Amino acid sequence: VVSLNYLLAQVDPSSAGATPMLEAELNLTGGDVRFAPELGRSTTGEGILDRVHGLIADFYESAKLIARLERADGDFGKEVEENEDVRFAVHRIITECEANEAHCTAFARPFYEHRHLWSRDIQTSLAKFAAASRRSAGDNASEHGSEFDGAALAERMRGDALADLDLAKFDAQIRLYKEAQAEIELLPSSGSSRFIRINSKPVKNAIAVCASKWVYAYTHFLEARITASLDDLMSFIDKVQTGLHTEFDPEDAEQLITAMTYIRDVRRRTDEVDHMWAPLRGTVTVLREYGITVPEATTELIEGAPQRWENAKKTTVHAREALGPLQALQAEKIKEEVEEFGERVELFVAAFHAEAPFRLDAGVEKAYQRLDECARRAPARARPPPTRRSRAFACAPRVASNAQVAREAARD
């Protein structure tokens, strides 16, 4: 009874001079906030309540050390267990342990309130948020991957216009995670609950790391988006300037088509690029608000890129004027080739009508011989496949028309 009362004095917070007799760590393991050792009973027998029951069992063992006087064998274990004072003390101890478990759970609750930081996949959530944050996006956002790599996500979204990204939503989301970091910093690193000293530094550090990863994911995505957009634009401008600042050979149709393709691509991207400078500068401002230093080379590129883009547009204007006569020349050549092809089709149809075995008196063997002969000659007279050149100079409708005439003539 004395031993049990001493133990009760240790676990009862109302006892004068009571100090924590056990220590437990609060950890983030298995996707949950857990105490180590566990507060109640555990499957390994290492829980706090297991240890208390172990102490009580040790007290009972002391009663078995005194032999009974009325017989040679036996002890006072049963009498001790059935003693009212003993049973009351044990009941009080277990009650205080259960109350302590509830108190420890309440201590851990503020940490658990940040479970969204570790229970969701960062990259999947970021991909979904980025898709939903596009001004032109619908409600259904696709989810991509599970690797923690904002640069890869920015690269996959390279084709999206930077102006489509709702920067205000990203700013609000980053601010939310920064506020979570501040809240985590205020959480206690240690505490005590009745007879247990709690070391909560491990879980606090783990949750703080999770919050930092979320902040990094969103800021790194914006930073990578700036880099990807600028790299893509500068590469495109360099290709356009190189491709259009060359001497054009009037006889080189492929070179002419490549130049015309550059002019078309600049025209297609003009609206997108003209509206990307404000979002770029806004993104840099947001990153600086959260302590992210954008490289000086990047900021200089953002300032100089508009002028380089204007120069590229002027280059296409001059190139269009210079290429006009060459384009007309190539179009005339295509027209001549089409007319020549039409004549060859008409000759082939006429020859086929004259030589093909349309009469029964030709005989089976001669019929097959004539068919084989027509087949051998057909490839040389067949329609050539459509070329990039013919498509580029918009002569395909004429070719299709001639081919249609040939098919109709063959059916006649």
Side-chain angles (χ1 to χ4, degrees), residues 217-244:
Y218 280 74
T219 55
H220 183 58
F221 170 80
L222 294 178
E223 189 175 6
R225 192 75 186 279
I226 292 175
T227 303
S229 299
L230 288 175
D231 288 347
D232 178 65
L233 179 60
M234 292 302 104
S235 175
F236 176 69
I237 291 176
D238 290 341
K239 286 194 298 184
V240 169
Q241 296 286 24
T242 302
L244 297 182

Side-chain angles (χ1 to χ4, degrees), residues 39-110:
L39 299 176
R41 287 184 175 274
S42 66
T43 55
T44 60
E46 298 294 331
I48 296 293
L49 195 56
D50 291 320
R51 297 186 183 187
V52 173
H53 277 286
L55 291 174
I56 295 174
D58 290 340
F59 297 157
Y60 286 149
E61 287 295 324
S62 63
K64 298 179 180 179
L65 299 177
I66 303 174
R68 301 185 70 89
L69 299 178
E70 70 273 17
R71 57 179 184 267
D73 57 345
D75 53 48
F76 293 95
K78 184 177 181 180
E79 284 80 356
V80 171
E81 290 180 3
E82 295 178 351
N83 184 272
E84 290 295 329
D85 293 335
V86 171
R87 294 178 63 183
F88 180 73
V90 170
H91 172 73
R92 285 285 310 281
I93 292 171
I94 300 303
T95 300
E96 292 298 336
C97 289
E98 292 174 349
N100 175 75
E101 183 175 352
H103 194 271
C104 290
T105 302
F107 178 86
R109 189 170 295 116

Side-chain angles (χ1 to χ4, degrees), residues 20 99-105 107 191-198:
N100 175 75
E101 183 175 352
H103 194 271
C104 290
T105 302
F107 178 86
S192 60
S193 176
R194 299 172 181 256
F195 65 98
I196 297 179
R197 179 179 291 108
I198 302 174

Side-chain angles (χ1 to χ4, degrees), residues 240-257:
V240 169
Q241 296 286 24
T242 302
L244 297 182
H245 281 93
T246 57
E247 287 291 334
F248 295 104
D249 184 358
E251 301 299 325
D252 191 345
E254 289 299 319
Q255 183 188 38
L256 179 59
I257 293 171

